Amino acid sequence: MTEPITVPTPRQIIEPAVAGRTETMVLNMGPHHPSTHGVLRLVLELDGEVVVNVAPDVGYLHTGIEKTMESKTYQKAVVLTDRMDYLAPLSNNLCYALAVEKLLGIEIPERAQIARVLLTELQRIASHLVWLGTHALDLAAMSVFLYAFREREQILDIFELVSGARMMTSYFRIGGLAYDLPADFIPTVEQFLAIMPSRIDEYEDLLTANPLWLERTVGVGVIDAQSAIALGLTGANLRATGVAYDVRKAMPYSGYETYSFEIPVGKNGDIYDRYRVRVAEMRQSVKIVQQATERLRELGPGPVITPDRKVAPPPKREITESMESLIHHFKLWTEGFKPPRGDAYVSIESPRGILGCYVVSDGSPKPWRVHFRAPSFINLQSLAHMAKGRLVADLVALIASLDPVLGEVDR
């Protein structure tokens, strides 16, 4: 039986140094260091340039989102989910909406299901583009940063087209979508799909065989599959170790079982493999978006939200003609719907790993408890395991390779 993996706390590193019981040096990295990708403080124990130990210290971006959701009606709480993982707001929307829909026991229209898959995969590509650009910038590859954000702008244009907002869209609602897709949605997505595969080729031309990139990433920040599982790693960080686990395949949701795509995996569990896995994931997401676009075209117009008027507001045209619809609309936005007493948990594959949402209902219009399993928070605890014995410069690359979002960590 292997020894359990322990994660040090800042106090365990600082106290011996203050008491003069060690000959190593203790330094703070962050919480305002650009290479920590947010307000993350790392307490480093160093022997010269070599990392002896490292303890992540989080909480500097604490927003109280989960607690605030308890004071909002279920529908109004959607806007808070955007602010957690602010690089994948639609993934947060989807996870929360699926959990509440499970609590209510409702089904959503097929057109809304397809649109959710399409937009969530675009969100995955957009998130990976931010990761790729900032990761490359941390290692002095500035051109990749500019190119990655060029394509991300096109995706944000699509989000603005459907919702009116570029980032915090709140577009996925309980029961379906906020409103229907615009007429020029499919042509706009197809324009993006036409160029994206060649753009991913460009990124790989710049990095995949680049000797400087290889020197900074190959064999650095290695973690084996057994340790990754023990530490709760998920997403690309886990798949880089060779574990082919993806919630979209293992526990399909939103009809993912009907789409054709592969799960990219690595072998060595180092920074380079995490890079290769995420780049391959972008290619797979392009395939899924292509399939979803074809399905939307074949399906044609249709409803995008549940017909249950006690859960979803009626369309405006009904409100002018039906007193019952007007009453439903008024009560939904003043009181909210009341799910039965109980709880529900749903997990999805976000760009950073397994994102889970647990909702508890006491029968009132407001959730009694909402809790998210945030992959960034759990992935961070692997930092100490991978950083020991490496240089401080390697730590910069290692943090970027984990792709943490601090809004999700502290929420």
Side-chain angles (χ1 to χ4, degrees):
M1 184 176 178
T2 58
E3 293 184 7
I5 299 173
T6 59
V7 180
T9 64
R11 176 172 290 183
Q12 288 172 329
I13 294 177
I14 294 170
E15 285 186 347
V18 172
R21 296 197 299 270
T22 67
E23 294 184 3
T24 54
M25 179 170 54
V26 175
L27 288 179
N28 281 317
M29 182 178 177
H32 47 267
H33 193 288
S35 292
T36 58
H37 290 248
V39 282
L40 169 65
R41 175 195 179 207
L42 299 177
V43 180
L44 306 181
E45 183 182 359
L46 302 175
D47 181 3
E49 285 281 326
V50 177
V51 176
V52 176
N53 216 341
V54 55
D57 187 17
V58 301
Y60 292 90
L61 194 63
H62 184 58
T63 48
I65 285 175
E66 292 179 352
K67 193 65 180 175
T68 305
M69 292 176 83
E70 296 173 16
S71 64
K72 304 292 182 183
T73 61
Y74 286 90
Q75 195 71 283
K76 291 176 182 177
V78 171
V79 299
L80 295 170
T81 64
D82 290 283
R83 274 87 183 159
M84 294 190 311
D85 179 355
Y86 42 76
L87 295 182
L90 285 169
S91 297
N92 306 334
N93 292 170
L94 178 62
C95 191
Y96 173 69
L98 288 174
V100 178
E101 286 161 6
K102 184 177 180 180
L103 201 59
L104 291 165
I106 61 173
E107 296 291 333
I108 72 167
E110 185 181 2
R111 182 173 172 83
Q113 288 273 33
I114 298 170
R116 281 181 172 185
V117 169
L118 192 158
L119 290 167
T120 305
E121 291 305 316
L122 285 177
Q123 184 75 88
R124 191 183 313 279
I125 297 170
S127 176
H128 282 355
L129 287 173
V130 175
W131 155 79
L132 179 63
T134 54
H135 187 12
L137 191 62
D138 283 345
L139 301 185
M142 188 169 183
S143 298
V144 181
F145 175 82
L146 299 173
Y147 296 157
F149 270 65
R150 175 187 61 191
E151 276 68 72
R152 178 174 178 261
E153 283 298 304
Q154 285 191 262
I155 297 176
L156 297 186
D157 287 343
I158 295 172
F159 294 162
E160 186 176 15
L161 179 67
V162 299
S163 70
R166 296 176 68 77
M167 287 183 66
M168 311 302 175
T169 60
S170 301
Y171 184 62
F172 297 166
R173 302 293 174 88
I174 296 160
L177 307 178
Y179 19 81
D180 200 1
L181 301 168
D184 52 346
F185 173 73
I186 291 178
T188 306
V189 172
E190 287 177 335
Q191 288 175 11
F192 172 77
L193 292 174
I195 63 143
M196 192 59 197
S198 64
R199 297 296 166 83
I200 299 174
D201 292 339
E202 284 184 19
Y203 312 148
E204 292 224 64
D205 289 343
L206 287 167
L207 295 178
T208 303
N210 186 313
L212 296 176
W213 183 258
L214 294 173
E215 187 177 346
R216 296 295 304 275
T217 60
V218 174
V220 180
V222 177
I223 187 169
D224 61 88
Q226 185 178 3
S227 299
I229 293 170
L231 285 164
L233 279 180
T234 55
N237 298 316
L238 175 64
R239 290 189 284 273
T241 67
V243 180
Y245 186 84
D246 188 311
V247 179
R248 294 172 296 174
K249 290 282 191 181
M251 294 182 288
Y253 54 92
S254 298
Y256 267 105
E257 66 276 11
T258 65
Y259 291 84
S260 174
F261 65 99
E262 299 170 1
I263 305 176
V265 294
K267 294 179 181 178
N268 305 312
D270 58 7
I271 293 176
Y272 187 71
D273 274 9
R274 290 193 275 279
Y275 155 74
R276 293 300 301 271
V277 167
R278 287 194 181 95
V279 171
E281 281 183 4
M282 285 196 281
R283 296 188 188 277
Q284 295 302 316
S285 290
V286 169
K287 285 176 57 178
I288 296 172
V289 173
Q290 288 171 336
Q291 295 171 58
T293 304
E294 292 169 5
R295 293 183 187 190
L296 278 179
R297 189 186 295 280
E298 293 171 2
L299 185 64
V304 293
I305 200 160
T306 177
D308 187 345
R309 295 292 181 255
K310 294 186 182 298
V311 174
K316 288 185 178 180
R317 65 177 182 277
E318 280 188 21
I319 295 174
T320 60
E321 300 169 356
S322 166
M323 177 56 71
E324 186 179 13
S325 293
L326 181 61
I327 292 169
H328 280 315
H329 185 276
F330 179 78
K331 289 184 72 66
L332 273 174
W333 293 112
T334 56
E335 297 177 16
F337 54 77
K338 299 177 181 179
R341 294 173 67 93
D343 59 355
Y345 177 80
V346 168
S347 60
I348 70 166
E349 189 69 33
S350 89
R352 264 148 285 284
I354 296 177
L355 173 64
C357 181
Y358 179 62
V359 182
V360 182
S361 168
D362 59 359
S364 72
K366 300 174 182 178
W368 186 79
R369 182 75 173 97
V370 181
H371 178 65
F372 288 90
R373 181 211 184 273
S376 291
F377 178 73
I378 296 168
N379 291 346
L380 267 182
Q381 68 182 346
S382 66
L383 202 56
H385 182 78
M386 292 187 276
K388 289 179 182 178
R390 304 301 312 188
L391 299 175
V392 175
D394 294 331
L395 185 59
V396 171
L398 182 51
I399 296 167
S401 76
L402 290 177
D403 191 23
V405 170
L406 272 295
E408 182 181 72
V409 171
D410 293 342
R411 67 188 186 287

